[in-house]
Amino acid sequence: MRLHRLEIAAFGPFSGTEVIDFDALSDAGLFLIQGRTGAGKTSILDAVCFALYGQVPGVRNAVKGLRSDHAPPGAGPRVVLETTIRGRRLRVSRSPAWERPKLRGSGTTTEHAKVVVEEFEHGGWVGLTTRLDEAGDLVTRMLGMTAVQFCQVAMLPQGEFAGFLRAGADERRKVLERLFAAEVYAQVEKWLAERRAATGREAAGLGARAVSIADRICETTGAAPPREPRPAVPAPRRGEPVVEPFAEVEALPAWAAELAGGQEDVRAVVEALRAGAAATLRAAREELEEARALADRRRRHAEALARRDALAGRAEEKSRLASRLVAAARADLVVPLVRDVQARHGEAGRARRWAEETRARAAALLPPKAPQDVLAKAERDRRDEVAGLEGRRAAAARLRQAGREREVLAGELLRLEPEGARIPAALAELPALVEARRAELDEARVAAAGRSGAAADVRDAGRRLDAAQRRDRVELRLAEAEARYRTAVDAAQDARQAVLDLRQARLDGMAAVLAEELADGEPCRVCGSTEHPAPVTSLALIPTEEQVEEAQAGADAAQDAREQAGTRAGELRTERDELLEIAGEADADALVAELAEAQAALEAAQARAAEAERLEQALHRDEQELDQVRSAQEETSRALTENRTRDRELAAEQARLSAELDEARGGDPTLEARIARLAGEADLIAAAVEAARAYGRAAEELSAARAKAGQEAGEQGFRTPEEVLEAELPDEEQGVLRDRIRRLDDEEAEVRALLGDPELVAAAAAPAPDLPALEAAAVAADAAHTGAANAADRARHRCERLAELRMDLAAAVGAWRPAAGRHEVAERLAGLASGKHPANRHDMSLSAYVLGARLRQVVAAANERLDRMSGGRYALVHTVEKAAGDRARGAGGLGLRVADSWTGLERDPVTLSGGESFITSLALALGLADVVTAEAGGTEIGTLFVDEGFGTLDEETLDEVMDVLDGLRDGGRAVGIVSHVAELRARIPAQLRVTKDRAGSTAAVVV
């Protein structure tokens, strides 16, 4: 990264707009930023950091007000930085949030932070983003480092590194963690601690489960648990979960096996007692059952005798039920005929009432007591007249249609008469309008004829402009390709020289190589002698064949790269020459103007051509309109004549049809009303005729049904229909009577069977048994058996339960053992990773170990410069011991000591003087910058700053420091020193002078 230009407006102490040309300062390589205390030297560094990352270094970032207090009220703070990062020229414009006066009224309003990131491409600035988050991500990704890392690498805050040099382990760890990614190792430490706690809880839970099972065994057997204490898991550290030391866990399986053997012996004894009690109980129950069976047979014989006497008294009831069923069966044959007579009697009554009602409604239309043939003739007369009037419906419909047609003709006449008046006026105007439109069209066609020539001019100008733009781009790429070619040439030559040097070195040391292969008694490969009195030795490093071959491969690759770069440059040079033949040396801006002029001429010709097309369409429309008006004049005249003729014809037809319909209507208001009246009268008469016929049929059917019902009733022994209905019995009631008779028969048969049973007869003759005595004996035997069975069941249940618990106990102990082992391993690993385990001899945590490796790299890089600045006296030493004042375990690994070659002793950094602390801190800062740069991906920092501290140096030490800083310019790097030391102003001619006054600070570049 190299800075080119910085513009500061209303930012920090700068009230106006200050422009700093870093290109002019960088040409000198080493430049000085000098000014009085508080003038704003560090604010320039803040502006650079703010432009890139949107924040300022250190604690100053917590201060929200970056706007200058000296700036006018309406002036907004702004920082614009032009820089090159990884070969890309960027311009970053940032404004912090600030309060500006309101445009209307009093008070202020907040202006939010803004950013614009642009890239210089093809001769102009191209916008990349205006979002704050995208701008920060873009800069971080290109530089490969965060804002904190950038401030440590590019701005070398010497004051902070003096604190870093003297800091304890925690402060030094915080600084290193900000710069290097060590989060994963801290997460490993945390994970191991959590794993230790988790395995401890797991072991405690599994041990508690085993003890719980042992407690359940004690509850089952009534035995006491074993008490043989011994540690089950390692004792926990302070602050860690407690793992219960279950001392009896290992002894529990054997203890449970011993209890199981005793319970099996008890179970065998009680099983024998239960078998004897069961035999006694069976004998008592058999004797009791036999006695109960005899008593039951005696009871059943006595009950059968009582039931036989009761059935003899119910014989009369059975006879009465049978007679009722026979009468109901005869009535079932006559009841349907009686019901049919009743139904037909009702139908005849309804038919008579219907006939009387219809005859009354038609009485006004017919003579009194007219027979059915008169009624039928009256109906036919009316229906014949209705059929004749139906033919008149077409005449009525035609009359209505003629009226509608005359209304349509009247409306058409109202439309045609104004149209006939308009057409003559249009015929007088349109011919002149057509002639004027034709003249305009001819003029536009003449102007549009130059369109093809203008288009050719535009194509030619565009082709030349495109060639000129491509020529400019190719020239830029050609310059880059030639630069790469020159670089490739240098690299190829260097690689070739390196191969030659290696080969020469190997040839020079070949004798020593051969001497190393000599062995006593074996012949020399050069002279063949088996004696080797003085083999050659070499103190110089002799390259191997592999190193020579590797260097040769690198040289071949560099040569291939050189040839490819030369080929690419030749291709671009040929392409540029071809484009020069097309565009010449004309400037692209002039060709742009020429193209614009040609396009304007083409657009004018195209506009006239479009106007000609429009005029041609308008002329066509006018000519069509003239033809249409002429045709419309003829059509309108013909339509008016036809309209008037047709209206006269329809009026005559209306008069004729009206006379015919008046004659057919008679006294009714309309033809439809007369047809509806006659049809209604005919329907009424027809209904009266049908009702009379239905009544006659119903009376005949009723007489026939009465005769048939009387005959059937006499045959079944009934005198009247009422007797038939009285004897009728529903099927459900008949079923009930049948069931009662069947039950009486079944009971008589059952009583006869019981009284004839030989077992019941013999039991009635035998003596009665003593049931109470036998029951008492059975109860006593059952109680004895129940007690023995309960004891046996309890013994069996205890044995079965004990077997289940023993299996659970074995599984629980088996699960507990590996958990306790895992906890021991986790506890040891967590202690080692945190540095708090006795096995960690250095008391160093894992993250401190990783950061210690980074610190060793920093110390190695710092000592290269500290050796020069201190005249070879001092060197930094990394130590795993704790820093002074650190008492916590795990705080080792990040210690720093200073080795003094004059005394041969190592000193604590706090014992260094001010100047010694400065050079040591500066060396440490430069070393850390190198390591952070490599860690971030090797991003080259082309411009860096060293802030203050030179006032503590003597003249000789200052010379050494300046030599080291001057060496930082290797590779084209520019170094800015921020200081107000007067001697530096004389040593460094290129300066950025910052001055302050009441109106704010200003900056000026002096080269």
Side-chain angles (χ1 to χ4, degrees), residues 96-119:
W98 64 290
E99 296 290 330
R100 67 167 177 79
K102 291 183 177 179
L103 300 178
R104 296 181 180 178
S106 59
T108 61
T109 184
T110 301
E111 280 285 344
H112 297 291
K114 300 176 182 177
V115 66
V116 177
V117 181
E118 301 167 286
E119 183 175 2

Short mmCIF file of all heavy atoms in Angstrom, two decimals, residues 96-119:
data_model
loop_
_atom_site.label_atom_id
_atom_site.label_comp_id
_atom_site.label_asym_id
_atom_site.label_seq_id
_atom_site.Cartn_x
_atom_site.Cartn_y
_atom_site.Cartn_z
N PRO A 96 -17.52 11.85 8.56
CA PRO A 96 -18.11 11.30 9.77
C PRO A 96 -19.47 11.93 10.04
O PRO A 96 -19.84 12.93 9.42
CB PRO A 96 -17.08 11.67 10.85
CG PRO A 96 -16.47 12.94 10.34
CD PRO A 96 -16.43 12.82 8.84
N ALA A 97 -20.20 11.35 10.95
CA ALA A 97 -21.48 11.94 11.36
C ALA A 97 -21.21 13.25 12.11
O ALA A 97 -20.27 13.34 12.91
CB ALA A 97 -22.24 10.96 12.24
N TRP A 98 -22.02 14.25 11.86
CA TRP A 98 -21.84 15.55 12.53
C TRP A 98 -23.17 16.30 12.56
O TRP A 98 -24.11 15.96 11.83
CB TRP A 98 -20.76 16.39 11.83
CG TRP A 98 -21.11 16.78 10.41
CD1 TRP A 98 -21.17 15.96 9.33
CD2 TRP A 98 -21.46 18.09 9.92
NE1 TRP A 98 -21.53 16.64 8.21
CE2 TRP A 98 -21.71 17.96 8.54
CE3 TRP A 98 -21.56 19.35 10.51
CZ2 TRP A 98 -22.07 19.05 7.75
CZ3 TRP A 98 -21.91 20.43 9.72
CH2 TRP A 98 -22.16 20.27 8.36
N GLU A 99 -23.24 17.29 13.44
CA GLU A 99 -24.45 18.09 13.60
C GLU A 99 -24.29 19.38 12.79
O GLU A 99 -23.37 20.17 13.04
CB GLU A 99 -24.67 18.44 15.08
CG GLU A 99 -24.94 17.22 15.97
CD GLU A 99 -26.28 16.61 15.69
OE1 GLU A 99 -27.19 17.36 15.29
OE2 GLU A 99 -26.42 15.38 15.85
N ARG A 100 -25.16 19.62 11.82
CA ARG A 100 -25.13 20.84 11.02
C ARG A 100 -26.34 21.70 11.34
O ARG A 100 -27.39 21.20 11.78
CB ARG A 100 -25.12 20.51 9.53
CG ARG A 100 -26.39 19.87 9.03
CD ARG A 100 -26.43 19.86 7.50
NE ARG A 100 -27.59 19.21 6.98
CZ ARG A 100 -28.81 19.75 6.90
NH1 ARG A 100 -29.02 20.97 7.37
NH2 ARG A 100 -29.82 19.06 6.40
N PRO A 101 -26.24 23.03 11.13
CA PRO A 101 -27.39 23.90 11.37
C PRO A 101 -28.52 23.56 10.40
O PRO A 101 -28.29 23.18 9.25
CB PRO A 101 -26.83 25.31 11.11
CG PRO A 101 -25.36 25.18 11.22
CD PRO A 101 -25.02 23.80 10.77
N LYS A 102 -29.75 23.68 10.87
CA LYS A 102 -30.90 23.42 10.02
C LYS A 102 -31.00 24.49 8.93
O LYS A 102 -30.64 25.65 9.15
CB LYS A 102 -32.19 23.40 10.83
CG LYS A 102 -32.30 22.22 11.78
CD LYS A 102 -33.64 22.22 12.49
CE LYS A 102 -33.78 21.00 13.38
NZ LYS A 102 -35.08 21.00 14.11
N LEU A 103 -31.46 24.09 7.76
CA LEU A 103 -31.60 25.04 6.65
C LEU A 103 -32.72 26.02 6.92
O LEU A 103 -32.69 27.17 6.44
CB LEU A 103 -31.85 24.28 5.34
CG LEU A 103 -30.74 23.30 4.93
CD1 LEU A 103 -31.11 22.58 3.66
CD2 LEU A 103 -29.42 24.04 4.75
N ARG A 104 -33.71 25.57 7.67
CA ARG A 104 -34.83 26.44 8.02
C ARG A 104 -35.01 26.43 9.53
O ARG A 104 -35.02 25.36 10.13
CB ARG A 104 -36.12 25.97 7.34
CG ARG A 104 -36.08 26.04 5.81
CD ARG A 104 -37.39 25.58 5.21
NE ARG A 104 -37.37 25.65 3.76
CZ ARG A 104 -38.38 25.27 2.98
NH1 ARG A 104 -39.50 24.81 3.52
NH2 ARG A 104 -38.28 25.35 1.66
N GLY A 105 -35.17 27.60 10.11
CA GLY A 105 -35.36 27.70 11.54
C GLY A 105 -34.04 27.57 12.29
O GLY A 105 -32.95 27.63 11.73
N SER A 106 -34.14 27.38 13.59
CA SER A 106 -32.97 27.28 14.44
C SER A 106 -32.73 25.83 14.83
O SER A 106 -33.55 24.95 14.57
CB SER A 106 -33.17 28.13 15.72
OG SER A 106 -34.33 27.67 16.42
N GLY A 107 -31.58 25.58 15.48
CA GLY A 107 -31.25 24.23 15.91
C GLY A 107 -30.36 23.53 14.89
O GLY A 107 -29.92 24.11 13.89
N THR A 108 -30.10 22.27 15.18
CA THR A 108 -29.22 21.48 14.31
C THR A 108 -29.91 20.18 13.93
O THR A 108 -30.90 19.78 14.55
CB THR A 108 -27.89 21.16 15.02
OG1 THR A 108 -28.19 20.38 16.21
CG2 THR A 108 -27.14 22.41 15.40
N THR A 109 -29.37 19.54 12.92
CA THR A 109 -29.84 18.23 12.48
C THR A 109 -28.62 17.36 12.20
O THR A 109 -27.53 17.88 11.94
CB THR A 109 -30.72 18.33 11.22
OG1 THR A 109 -31.22 17.03 10.92
CG2 THR A 109 -29.93 18.85 10.03
N THR A 110 -28.79 16.06 12.28
CA THR A 110 -27.66 15.12 12.16
C THR A 110 -27.43 14.75 10.70
O THR A 110 -28.35 14.35 10.00
CB THR A 110 -27.93 13.85 12.97
OG1 THR A 110 -28.13 14.21 14.35
CG2 THR A 110 -26.76 12.88 12.86
N GLU A 111 -26.17 14.93 10.28
CA GLU A 111 -25.75 14.42 8.98
C GLU A 111 -25.06 13.08 9.21
O GLU A 111 -24.11 12.99 9.98
CB GLU A 111 -24.76 15.40 8.32
CG GLU A 111 -25.41 16.59 7.66
CD GLU A 111 -26.07 16.21 6.33
OE1 GLU A 111 -25.75 15.12 5.80
OE2 GLU A 111 -26.90 16.98 5.85
N HIS A 112 -25.55 12.03 8.57
CA HIS A 112 -25.00 10.69 8.79
C HIS A 112 -23.66 10.52 8.08
O HIS A 112 -23.34 11.24 7.14
CB HIS A 112 -25.99 9.64 8.31
CG HIS A 112 -27.29 9.65 9.05
ND1 HIS A 112 -27.40 9.26 10.37
CD2 HIS A 112 -28.53 10.04 8.67
CE1 HIS A 112 -28.64 9.38 10.76
NE2 HIS A 112 -29.36 9.86 9.74
N ALA A 113 -22.92 9.55 8.56
CA ALA A 113 -21.61 9.25 7.95
C ALA A 113 -21.79 8.79 6.51
O ALA A 113 -22.77 8.10 6.17
CB ALA A 113 -20.89 8.17 8.77
N LYS A 114 -20.85 9.17 5.64
CA LYS A 114 -20.92 8.84 4.22
C LYS A 114 -19.56 8.37 3.75
O LYS A 114 -18.52 8.69 4.33
CB LYS A 114 -21.36 10.05 3.39
CG LYS A 114 -22.73 10.61 3.77
CD LYS A 114 -23.04 11.88 2.98
CE LYS A 114 -24.38 12.47 3.40
NZ LYS A 114 -24.67 13.74 2.69
N VAL A 115 -19.57 7.61 2.65
CA VAL A 115 -18.32 7.13 2.07
C VAL A 115 -18.53 6.93 0.57
O VAL A 115 -19.63 6.58 0.13
CB VAL A 115 -17.86 5.80 2.73
CG1 VAL A 115 -18.83 4.68 2.43
CG2 VAL A 115 -16.47 5.41 2.24
N VAL A 116 -17.48 7.22 -0.20
CA VAL A 116 -17.47 6.95 -1.64
C VAL A 116 -16.10 6.34 -1.96
O VAL A 116 -15.07 6.94 -1.68
CB VAL A 116 -17.70 8.22 -2.48
CG1 VAL A 116 -17.59 7.89 -3.96
CG2 VAL A 116 -19.04 8.85 -2.17
N VAL A 117 -16.10 5.13 -2.53
CA VAL A 117 -14.87 4.45 -2.92
C VAL A 117 -14.84 4.38 -4.45
O VAL A 117 -15.80 3.88 -5.06
CB VAL A 117 -14.77 3.04 -2.32
CG1 VAL A 117 -13.46 2.37 -2.72
CG2 VAL A 117 -14.87 3.11 -0.80
N GLU A 118 -13.74 4.91 -5.05
CA GLU A 118 -13.62 4.93 -6.50
C GLU A 118 -12.28 4.29 -6.90
O GLU A 118 -11.32 4.30 -6.12
CB GLU A 118 -13.68 6.37 -7.02
CG GLU A 118 -14.97 7.10 -6.65
CD GLU A 118 -14.86 8.59 -6.91
OE1 GLU A 118 -14.16 9.26 -6.12
OE2 GLU A 118 -15.45 9.06 -7.88
N GLU A 119 -12.22 3.80 -8.13
CA GLU A 119 -11.00 3.21 -8.67
C GLU A 119 -10.67 3.88 -10.01
O GLU A 119 -11.57 4.13 -10.82
CB GLU A 119 -11.16 1.71 -8.87
CG GLU A 119 -9.88 1.03 -9.36
CD GLU A 119 -10.00 -0.47 -9.43
OE1 GLU A 119 -11.10 -0.98 -9.13
OE2 GLU A 119 -9.01 -1.13 -9.77
#
